[in-house]
Amino acid sequence: MEAVETASRSTSRSLRRVGILYDERMCRHHTPDDEPHPENPNRIRAIWNKLQSAGISQRCEVLSAKEAEDKYILSVHGKSHVDLIRNISSQQYNSRRNRIASNLNSIYLNEGSSEAAYLAAGSVIEVAKRVAKGELDSAFAIVRPPGHHAEHDEAMGFCLYNNVAIATNFLLNEKELGINKILIVDWDVHHGNGTQKTFWKDPRVLFFSVHRHEFGNFYPSNDDGDYTMIGEGPGAGYNINVPWENGRCGDADYLAVWDHILIPVAKQFNPDMILISAGFDAAVGDPLGGCRVTPYGYAMLLRKLMDFARGKIVLALEGGYNLTSISNSALACMEVLLDEKTVTGSTEAYPFESTWRVIRAVRQELKAFWSVLADELPTKLISQKAPIPKILISSCDSEAEDVEELLQGVIRPLSTLRVDEDRRVLAESASVSWRSDLSNIDIWYATFGSNMWKPRFLCYIEGGQVDGMQKLCSGSMDKRPPKEILWKIFPHRLFFGRESTRTWGLGGVAFLHPESKNKDIVHMCLYRITLEQFNDVLHQENISSYDMSSPLFDLTSLDCVKEKGSINLEAVKKGWYHNVVYLGMERDIPILTMTCDLSDIENFKSGKVPLHAPSEDYANTLVKGLVEGGQLSEEEAVSYIKEAATKPL
Ligand code: X5A
Ligand code: ZN
């Protein structure tokens, strides 16, 4: 008997009843001409295939999709939005679909989009209902299009209907299900803005989102995902955002947030059910996310949530764009739901220092609502932090951002998985010839901001990150240090503008007025580097998605700038330092700097773009540059910066 029992158990269903929903019909939503796009049908196919070949689906109850009824969708979305999505497939919309999509933020539409959107929403309702009734213990809905960015009257960020929000309202409204309190955990790498807005004033739903935020620079690129957004009225305290300051967050960072925010709050909230907006774009290898959560990490995050709501958990797929990463992550989660393996392993890494800072800020903000968050975290704990990585190893953070910008339509979208490869090929073939040409030409790169501090400037050459910087630099291809350094004074105006930067966070950064005036004085540190290196610095200063297959600034540009005094670089016109200014010659070598252009100056003057004093970290870096460069005493340097920051333009 014993032997039979064991044998049969290994081939039959798990003791836990776990639902899994997949339906090929959701693949009919794709780009109009099947152009490559990260949010493509292969995402759910890859996950489904993986779960089948790993023998997971065989242990689950397999469900197929059901279209959501309008009345359920209308609990989240407005009538005009529902009408639009319903009608988008009809013939009469054939000519209008592309135009409609182009007016939306990061949305494409085809004739299959409506059906897929209805199926995705209906599928999450379906599995949630079964879990609520107890027919299933837990479930995973492998759906697309994703949902968490979709707002009351707006499709955005690859999302048409907010699947998780719709299923949440369904559960709450079906009173006989007895689900009165729901915890939504959104671990997609992007902020769940649509879900947040749906339940903003609703204390029955605790919405928790952890996401890359970068002070509002990461998609959806606004302040909605800030930790200060805690809900309103009766919903105050029931909205929790954990905004990462940088990419590269991994298991250790997520687990720290779970242990010190989410799990204690979940205990106190005591939900009747948990819905997970389970995007896998924070996974290591994701081309958009730039984070590093491993399958083990996802398993742990999920495992820790299973202690609540009597294990009634529904996962609904959101984002995730590396087919291998999302398949492995989903598999790890399914193993946890099936309880087939106790999660073993450990993260040898520590959280980032910024992670502890964010955790403390969130606890501070919410401690009035959740007494479990009131205690200060012990110093011993928060002193366990990851050392800042010194050198960026090949394709990493900056490239992930580049891909993101590419996909926002700047350049023709590249296919998901081959993005890294394509870029490497590009970088290695077409670019070699201009690089060797320009590597023989020297210029003086004249700096007036943080680059005056040599260790900071070297980040642009060698790669790396110094104190105060919140972002790694990739460095130049040619890593030779500057051949010479000298200081000079020029009759230009230094000033500070913009509210925040990816590198320094909150606070303005330095600009140089491109025109000279006799009474103005600016201290500049000149580095003798090659024109090739200057191109790589331009690229990094402008955080550009330009592929560098040809130079941003070549010999023709050099002739042109000598003649005209300045030149605007079209390829990086969105960058803040796209204007190369010629400052004369020094020992037969041209002096170049990069700053904003005259139209930006007008915008600074009119207030359209803010003037803003530098942050403490940033100002300190400038002072260090001036003092260590032997130009000014500390006192003089401080007042020099202060004057530049306060004198009107
Ligand atoms: C669901 C999701 C990402 C949208 C990114 C747009 N959306 N650049 O991951
Ligand atoms: Zn996402």
Side-chain angles (χ1 to χ4, degrees):
M1 277 307 279
E2 278 291 319
V4 175
E5 169 97 5
T6 321
S8 70
R9 199 188 292 168
S10 68
T11 52
S12 73
R13 291 198 174 144
S14 152
L15 292 179
R16 290 249 178 94
R17 286 160 306 167
V18 179
I20 184 143
L21 187 148
Y22 175 77
D23 201 311
E24 181 71 22
R25 288 178 289 166
M26 284 182 277
C27 294
R28 290 196 205 141
H29 166 64
H30 54 76
T31 50
D33 293 311
D34 249 327
E35 305 94 340
H37 193 284
E39 205 293 279
N40 62 64
N42 288 334
R43 297 175 57 238
I44 56 173
R45 287 195 189 112
I47 294 174
W48 179 241
N49 289 341
K50 179 83 188 188
L51 297 183
Q52 281 190 302
S53 59
I56 292 290
S57 53
Q58 295 83 334
R59 291 162 193 249
C60 296
E61 261 180 63
V62 179
L63 306 166
S64 45
K66 268 197 185 154
E67 290 198 14
E69 288 178 49
D70 277 353
K71 63 176 179 192
Y72 300 133
I73 296 174
L74 286 164
S75 74
V76 169
H77 297 288
K79 187 164 180 328
S80 60
H81 181 67
V82 176
D83 286 343
L84 178 75
I85 300 301
R86 187 189 321 107
N87 293 331
I88 210 80
S89 295
S90 61
Q91 292 282 338
Q92 65 174 130
Y93 270 78
N94 282 354
S95 59
R96 288 160 65 189
R97 275 197 291 271
N98 286 350
R99 196 159 33 83
I100 293 167
S102 69
N103 285 326
L104 294 163
N105 176 353
S106 304
I107 288 290
Y108 62 77
L109 297 166
N110 74 334
E111 64 285 350
S113 299
S114 307
E115 191 189 12
Y118 274 90
L119 289 169
S123 299
V124 182
I125 292 178
E126 180 64 18
V127 299
K129 181 169 70 183
R130 290 184 188 241
V131 171
K133 283 184 176 167
E135 295 170 22
L136 296 169
D137 292 307
S138 59
F140 177 30
I142 312 170
V143 296
R144 65 179 289 278
H148 72 153
H149 292 307
E151 297 192 351
H152 185 70
D153 269 310
E154 193 167 334
M156 60 180 276
F158 316 157
C159 303
L160 301 180
Y161 284 148
N162 196 318
N163 312 317
V164 166
I166 292 167
T168 301
N169 269 339
F170 171 88
L171 294 173
L172 293 170
N173 292 337
E174 301 287 298
K175 290 281 179 283
E176 69 281 2
L177 293 173
I179 305 292
N180 302 311
K181 283 186 289 176
I182 296 178
L183 167 62
I184 300 179
V185 175
D186 187 329
W187 71 38
D188 184 283
V189 78
H190 301 96
H191 178 234
N193 55 292
T195 317
Q196 166 169 304
K197 286 189 185 174
T198 307
F199 304 109
W200 188 241
K201 295 183 178 171
D202 194 337
R204 299 170 303 171
V205 178
L206 172 56
F207 178 64
F208 171 93
S209 180
V210 52
H211 43 268
R212 203 168 149 188
H213 183 60
E214 281 167 44
F215 311 97
N217 286 313
F218 197 73
Y219 191 86
S221 308
N222 55 42
D223 291 334
D224 290 353
D226 199 52
Y227 62 80
T228 54
M229 304 295 277
I230 59 169
E232 221 179 287
Y238 293 89
N239 194 91
I240 305 182
N241 284 321
V242 180
W244 297 135
E245 292 181 5
N246 47 263
R248 307 188 309 282
C249 290
D251 297 351
D253 305 285
Y254 279 80
L255 286 167
V257 166
W258 254 236
D259 289 346
H260 303 291
I261 299 172
L262 179 57
I263 297 304
V265 171
K267 238 177 238 169
Q268 199 172 345
F269 180 61
N270 189 24
D272 299 320
M273 196 153 149
I274 301 179
L275 268 58
I276 304 183
S277 262
F280 293 113
D281 43 11
V284 59
D286 190 275
L288 266 61
C291 288
R292 307 169 168 175
V293 178
T294 67
Y296 161 76
Y298 282 113
M300 284 298 279
L301 301 183
L302 179 55
R303 178 66 228 130
K304 284 173 188 262
L305 290 170
M306 285 182 64
D307 298 335
F308 304 97
R310 291 177 295 140
K312 287 180 179 295
I313 298 192
V314 164
L315 282 82
L317 183 66
E318 298 279 0
Y321 307 100
N322 178 320
L323 303 189
T324 312
S325 306
I326 63 179
S327 307
N328 292 334
S329 306
L331 172 60
C333 288
M334 289 309 294
E335 281 173 341
V336 170
L337 293 186
L338 288 162
D339 199 25
E340 313 249 288
K341 280 184 193 140
T342 37
V343 185
T344 53
S346 71
T347 45
E348 68 284 19
Y350 287 129
F352 287 118
E353 187 176 5
S354 59
T355 296
W356 290 123
R357 180 163 57 240
V358 172
I359 290 176
R360 285 166 87 173
V362 173
R363 289 174 61 103
Q364 182 71 23
E365 193 74 34
L366 284 145
K367 67 181 188 194
F369 304 93
W370 304 101
S371 56
V372 284
L373 302 180
D375 295 343
E376 287 279 334
L377 294 176
T379 340
K380 207 176 147 207
L381 180 71
I382 58 181
S383 65
Q384 302 184 343
K385 57 197 178 204
I388 294 169
K390 240 193 118 50
I391 305 289
L392 181 70
I393 317 140
S394 72
S395 76
C396 203
D397 194 34
S398 61
E399 266 185 50
E401 279 168 12
D402 287 352
V403 173
E404 171 114 25
E405 284 182 39
L406 280 170
L407 295 169
Q408 281 171 359
V410 184
I411 302 180
R412 159 191 74 90
L414 299 166
S415 69
T416 331
L417 260 182
R418 298 185 40 240
V419 164
D420 277 351
E421 235 173 86
D422 285 356
R423 291 180 56 79
R424 211 167 301 123
V425 172
L426 271 175
E428 281 168 11
S429 59
S431 61
V432 263
S433 60
W434 73 260
R435 285 189 172 277
S436 59
D437 291 347
L438 301 190
S439 69
N440 298 319
I441 315 284
D442 279 359
I443 57 110
W444 294 102
Y445 169 41
T447 63
F448 49 84
S450 64
N451 279 292
M452 292 188 294
W453 191 42
K454 190 178 166 193
R456 189 270 178 268
F457 170 68
L458 287 179
C459 295
Y460 280 155
I461 300 294
E462 296 168 350
Q465 188 175 20
V466 290
D467 252 13
M469 284 168 71
Q470 299 173 356
K471 193 174 175 300
L472 272 171
C473 293
S474 53
S476 302
M477 207 164 265
D478 175 357
K479 300 203 168 4
R480 286 175 299 168
K483 299 183 180 103
E484 262 179 282
I485 300 177
L486 64 87
W487 287 79
K488 275 177 87 85
I489 288 170
F490 291 87
H492 281 263
R493 171 64 206 279
L494 174 73
F495 67 96
F496 298 92
R498 305 274 179 178
E499 268 158 343
S500 72
T501 61
R502 294 198 201 182
T503 304
W504 302 98
L506 291 176
V509 283
F511 290 95
L512 189 80
H513 195 306
E515 290 179 334
S516 63
K517 248 201 213 132
N518 270 333
K519 61 173 180 30
D520 286 330
I521 270 195
V522 65
H523 293 273
M524 297 187 93
C525 179
L526 280 54
Y527 298 97
R528 197 174 134 195
I529 58 174
T530 72
L531 202 47
E532 184 206 356
Q533 289 174 317
F534 183 68
N535 270 278
D536 286 333
V537 174
L538 267 170
H539 185 251
Q540 294 172 80
E541 269 293 9
N542 288 291
I543 330 180
S544 85
S545 57
Y546 183 73
D547 67 18
M548 294 303 267
S549 55
S550 57
L552 288 162
F553 187 92
D554 61 9
L555 287 170
T556 320
S557 322
L558 188 58
D559 285 340
C560 181
V561 81
K562 278 182 177 169
E563 197 188 311
K564 291 199 185 134
S566 68
I567 176 173
N568 255 314
L569 305 177
E570 264 309 296
V572 287
K573 67 168 185 288
K574 279 193 167 173
W576 296 350
Y577 298 94
H578 57 257
N579 186 28
V580 175
V581 177
Y582 174 67
L583 295 170
M585 299 291 272
E586 174 72 28
R587 285 182 279 133
D588 262 356
I589 298 172
I591 309 168
L592 303 175
T593 191
M594 57 188 81
T595 185
C596 59
D597 68 27
L598 285 174
S599 69
D600 296 318
I601 296 283
E602 288 316 308
N603 289 335
F604 279 124
K605 278 186 179 165
S606 72
K608 211 169 144 198
V609 180
L611 288 167
H612 205 297
S615 71
E616 208 177 291
D617 277 340
Y618 185 75
N620 278 340
T621 312
L622 272 63
V623 169
K624 266 192 287 193
L626 290 158
V627 174
E628 289 174 27
Q631 298 310 295
L632 299 174
S633 70
E634 183 161 344
E635 210 172 284
E636 289 166 336
V638 170
S639 74
Y640 166 73
I641 300 301
K642 196 163 185 178
E643 193 188 325
T646 47
K647 223 169 71 180
L649 246 189

